[in-house]
Amino acid sequence: MKRRHFLGLAGLTGVAGALPGLSFGYPSVDLTAADDIEPLELSEAKWRERLSPEAYKVLRENDTEPAFSSPLNDEHRKGVFHCAGCDLALFDSDTKFESGTGWPSFYTHIEGHLLSKLDFSMIWPRIEYHCARCGGHQGHVFEDGPEPTGLRWCNNGLALRFEPA
């Protein structure tokens, strides 16, 4: 089974549909990879060569970097935030906002470039999202963001690379 199909099945529609009548308070997002996204699948050894040990933990092992540790928190130039694992564009700088949480936050993403699934690692379910090309863990999405979406895409800075315009 391809990664994008698995994440789609394990995503909101698959799991939430299996739990009718239960409301866990997580945002309703349904992410599907764009048709032109070709999956990038590398061995663990290749990922370790490609990424720093810290970025490997975040992108490949779903770790979270310490709050306020990323220089991207203070990145305010025009440009695009890319996946640090495979360089897929994920967020436009115009959608970045200061959330006060200590992680780069965005109110929306580049359509078709992220996939989601339910994350039960903190007991209460959260929506985790990943790069649609390499499957690299990016962060979680919450319903406490600004208009126009009301969402906060809370991203690990180690999972991103900024490219100025």
Side-chain angles (χ1 to χ4, degrees):
M1 182 178 286
K2 287 188 174 183
R3 174 182 38 83
R4 81 175 64 194
H5 292 118
F6 172 76
L7 289 174
L9 291 174
L12 293 174
T13 55
V15 176
L19 301 171
L22 294 180
S23 173
F24 293 109
Y26 50 77
S28 177
V29 294
D30 188 11
L31 303 178
T32 306
D35 290 337
D36 62 341
I37 303 280
E38 285 295 321
L40 173 64
E41 297 175 10
L42 300 176
S43 67
E44 180 179 336
K46 290 288 185 192
W47 281 119
R48 287 189 185 277
E49 286 176 22
R50 188 178 195 137
L51 303 169
S52 71
E54 297 81 12
Y56 181 88
K57 284 182 179 179
V58 169
L59 286 161
R60 308 314 308 166
E61 296 178 343
N62 299 341
D63 201 9
T64 301
E65 69 192 11
F68 300 101
S69 66
S70 174
L72 293 181
N73 288 335
D74 297 322
E75 182 57 69
H76 302 292
R77 295 175 291 172
K78 295 280 187 195
V80 177
F81 293 85
H82 294 251
C83 174
C86 69
D87 205 36
L88 183 66
L90 302 178
F91 300 98
D92 187 277
S93 64
D94 290 339
T95 67
K96 187 174 185 281
F97 69 98
E98 180 52 54
S99 66
T101 61
W103 291 280
S105 297
F106 307 86
Y107 63 80
T108 194
H109 59 92
I110 296 175
E111 192 71 31
H113 290 199
L114 294 174
L115 298 174
S116 65
K117 70 176 187 176
L118 276 176
D119 169 20
F120 289 94
S121 66
M122 301 290 285
I123 309 297
W124 195 256
R126 302 178 297 169
I127 302 303
E128 180 178 311
Y129 61 93
H130 297 258
C131 172
R133 179 184 290 150
C134 71
H137 169 73
Q138 295 294 319
H140 293 85
V141 61
F142 303 96
E143 289 184 306
D144 59 0
E147 293 300 326
T149 66
L151 298 176
R152 172 173 52 96
W153 298 82
C154 186
N155 219 97
N156 286 287
L158 284 167
L160 295 173
R161 180 187 67 76
F162 180 70
E163 186 174 304

